[in-house]
Amino acid sequence: MNSRRRFLTLSALGSATGFSALSAFGQKKPVDGPVILSTWNMGLRANDRAYEVLQSGGSVLDCVEKGVNIIESDPNVGTVGIGGFPDIDGNVTLDACIMDQNQSCGSVAFLQHIVNPVSVARKVMENTKHVMLVGEGALKFALEQGFKREMLLTEKRLAAWKNRKKELDGQIPEINVENHDTIGMVARDADGNLSGCCTTSGAGMKLHGRVGDSPIIGAGLYVDNDVGAATATGWGEAVIENAGSAMVVELMRHGRSPQEACEEIVKRIANKFERWKDIQVGFIALNKAGETGGFAIQEGFTYARHSGGQNEAIKSKSLLRK
Ligand code: ASP
């Protein structure tokens, strides 16, 4: 949409809702330059890499993809990519998605043996007519695209899985607040264009074949270049049930700041999910003006923000306190 048309649309929205065109997007104080936001403390490393990519002339889509790639490729991170915690049968299965400024998106789910699922998701977006590939089909596609087949289960994670199996003694694990460390990243370049991605090995000890929110466009990630972008971490089932990230973006469209939008959706999930005190769910969001926000159910959620040339870890506000 050209900018004049967009301004008129915003003005119309403003008069209908009582918000001015600018405050409809929370643009009290636009932030200059790139802004990169990602989940958890590991986001600091990912943001540094993402910023480097932008500085060396990469697109905002390159920036989010390459940013999270370094976390996927790190075997010491137990919740993303290689070294991820296995499912109940001992298989590491990965979920990821990516979305750009043109509303294009790609996704892979229940993908095994590939270290960088987010890059496969990008290939799905760019080299096929589809949005989502899963399981064997996703693996076949990845190999055809030149990705290498690798062993994702590390010795360390295998030992942890064996212990957990013994503890469970045939039981299905309860839902809990542990092992929620998906990396989701949303970014805006200096021209104001947005992209995002999300990548995870999912909930530890999940049933074989389980897919969480992270590869689901609208749940684990949503980007609308006219408004903003959001991504999620935590108990994926609750995020899917509430179309979490799409709702955060929709609230920003209707005038909430990123912070207000994240808080409202976390509260909505808490109202609707009976055992909400037993789960963690966190969102981060960024709007077109470069404003950011984050909120979670449980204390302990952190996110990383690169803005104005500074990269910092932010302790999220939460509904519950320890
Ligand atoms: N959201 C992810 C999932 O449910 C898990 C996480 O964030 O740790 O698969």
Side-chain angles (χ1 to χ4, degrees), residues 54 87 126 136 162 171 175 185 227 249 258 306 314:
L54 275 183
D87 68 15
E126 291 177 340
E136 281 300 317
K162 282 184 180 158
Q171 303 294 305
I175 58 172
M185 178 182 282
V227 179
V249 172
H306 202 305
I314 299 171

Side-chain angles (χ1 to χ4, degrees), residues 95 179-182 200-203 210 212-214 232-237:
D95 296 338
N179 294 325
H180 291 307
D181 291 341
T182 293
T200 191
S201 54
R210 181 264 190 188
D213 60 314
S214 306
T233 183
W235 187 249
E237 283 70 5

Side-chain angles (χ1 to χ4, degrees), residues 5 25 34 45 48 52-53 62 77 86 94 99-100 109 120 141 145 164 212 229 256 258 265 296 299 306 319:
R5 165 95 201 288
F25 289 122
R45 278 198 293 148
D48 275 337
E52 239 172 59
V53 171
D62 297 331
V77 176
L94 305 178
M99 190 160 187
D100 75 5
V120 184
F141 171 77
Q145 294 288 314
R164 189 75 183 113
R256 307 299 194 286
I265 295 305
E299 198 170 29
H306 202 305
L319 267 184

Side-chain angles (χ1 to χ4, degrees), residues 87-109:
D87 68 15
I88 198 144
D89 297 337
N91 306 289
V92 179
T93 73
L94 305 178
D95 296 338
C97 71
I98 191 160
M99 190 160 187
D100 75 5
Q101 67 207 57
N102 303 311
Q103 210 76 18
S104 297
C105 46
S107 158
V108 288

